[in-house]
């Protein structure tokens, strides 16, 4: 396992309180070798069932409604699973990824104290084992800042950050994908810079 291998996960909720917020949707993608691969997960949770195990905020619901027709269609989509089935599906997917890869992949979320804490809370409430270890959670925000700093040390001045260059869609799978793409692009830029430095060094030492 390398920093180039990870799962990017995002959840959309019906409240902003962590860890109590009810879960509306879960999205996840897999990155191997710094590249997105064709292994994705998107789960819509039954909203009535979700509200039995989490808090719902009128302000958050109103915010979702104000996002426009696509957001309304997503909230109204009837293709939803009971929370227990949704969490079982997530666990199975993560275990299958682990078996396929041969090791436990880090789970990167924008803020583990929000996304992972909320999902872990629901596993506990339903008496299900949490399918990751605490040490496997990673912060997308921290990882992005670290990689941006490395690029600066390699001579690249970035004028944008994830927030300024990737408006949050608040669609769990879309956001998980964009988070992964941003990290992949940073990692690729670092590799390009390092290879360029190696080439210059080789040229300078060649008689």
């Amino acid at each position: 396992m390398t920093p180039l291998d990870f799962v990017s996960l995002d959840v959309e909720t019906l409240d902003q309180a962590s860890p109590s917020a009810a879960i509306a949707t879960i999205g996840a993608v897999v990155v191997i070798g710094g590249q997105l691969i064709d292994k994705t997960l998107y789960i819509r949770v039954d909203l009535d069932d979700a509200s039995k195990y989490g808090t719902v905020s009128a302000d958050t619901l109103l915010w979702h409604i104000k996002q426009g027709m696509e957001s309304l269609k997503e909230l109204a989509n009837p293709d939803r699973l009971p929370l227990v089935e949704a969490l079982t599906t997530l666990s199975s997917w993560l275990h299958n990824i682990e078996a396929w890869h041969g090791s436990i992949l880090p789970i990167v979320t924008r803020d583990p104290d929000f996304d992972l804490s909320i999902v872990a809370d629901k596993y506990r409430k339903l008496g299900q084992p949490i399918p990751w270890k605490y040490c496997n959670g990673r912060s997308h925000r921290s990882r992005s800042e670290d990689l941006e700093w490395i690029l600066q040390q390699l001579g690249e001045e970035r004028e944008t950050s994830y927030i300024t260059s990737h408006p949050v869609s608040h669609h769990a799978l879309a956001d998980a994908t964009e988070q992964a793409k941003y990290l992949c692009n940073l990692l690729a830029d670092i590799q390009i810079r390092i290879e360029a430095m190696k080439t210059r060094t080789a040229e300078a030492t060649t008689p």
Side-chain angles (χ1 to χ4, degrees):
M1 183 182 68
T2 75
L4 304 177
D5 300 346
F6 59 91
V7 170
S8 176
L9 183 144
D10 184 75
V11 299
E12 293 302 316
T13 63
L14 302 179
D15 194 4
Q16 291 301 304
S18 175
S20 65
I23 298 172
T25 56
I26 303 170
V29 299
V30 180
V31 172
I32 300 296
Q35 300 289 327
L36 277 165
I37 64 171
D38 188 23
K39 291 185 181 294
T40 64
L41 178 71
Y42 186 57
I43 306 169
R44 298 182 186 92
V45 181
D46 180 273
L47 301 183
D48 288 335
D49 194 51
S51 65
K52 297 176 184 177
Y53 300 95
T55 55
V56 178
S57 162
D59 288 342
T60 302
L61 287 175
L62 182 60
W63 182 91
H64 280 294
I65 292 170
K66 287 181 177 179
Q67 299 313 297
M69 187 56 67
E70 289 304 314
S71 182
L72 280 173
K73 287 181 180 178
E74 186 60 26
L75 280 176
N77 193 310
D79 183 20
R80 294 179 175 274
L81 299 177
L83 182 61
V84 65
E85 190 174 341
L87 296 184
T88 300
T89 299
L90 174 59
S91 293
S92 296
W93 186 81
L94 289 171
H95 291 319
N96 288 339
I97 295 298
E98 176 185 338
W100 168 80
H101 185 266
S103 63
I104 299 174
L105 294 179
I107 300 178
V108 177
T109 64
R110 186 62 185 163
D111 183 355
D113 288 337
F114 185 79
D115 300 81
L116 289 185
S117 291
I118 288 171
V119 179
D121 175 69
K122 306 308 174 285
Y123 276 111
R124 294 188 188 98
K125 286 180 176 177
L126 287 167
Q128 293 190 19
I130 299 170
W132 65 82
K133 295 181 180 179
Y134 179 79
C135 60
N136 278 1
R138 299 288 189 276
S139 166
H140 180 270
R141 181 178 288 105
S142 296
R143 182 168 284 195
S144 297
E145 290 173 352
D146 289 345
L147 294 176
E148 288 164 355
W149 181 85
I150 291 171
L151 274 171
Q152 288 178 353
Q153 305 313 301
L154 294 173
E156 180 175 320
E157 291 297 330
R158 301 182 67 85
E159 297 180 355
T160 61
S161 65
Y162 177 75
I163 294 298
T164 58
S165 61
H166 292 74
V168 179
S169 71
H170 294 287
H171 181 285
L173 182 56
D175 288 341
T177 301
E178 288 304 312
Q179 289 170 184
K181 285 181 177 178
Y182 188 72
L183 292 179
C184 289
N185 289 338
L186 289 175
L187 288 164
D189 287 347
I190 289 172
Q191 289 178 319
I192 289 170
R193 289 272 174 174
I194 291 174
E195 290 304 316
M197 290 176 63
K198 288 180 178 178
T199 299
R200 289 195 298 269
T201 299
E203 291 173 349
T205 56
T206 300

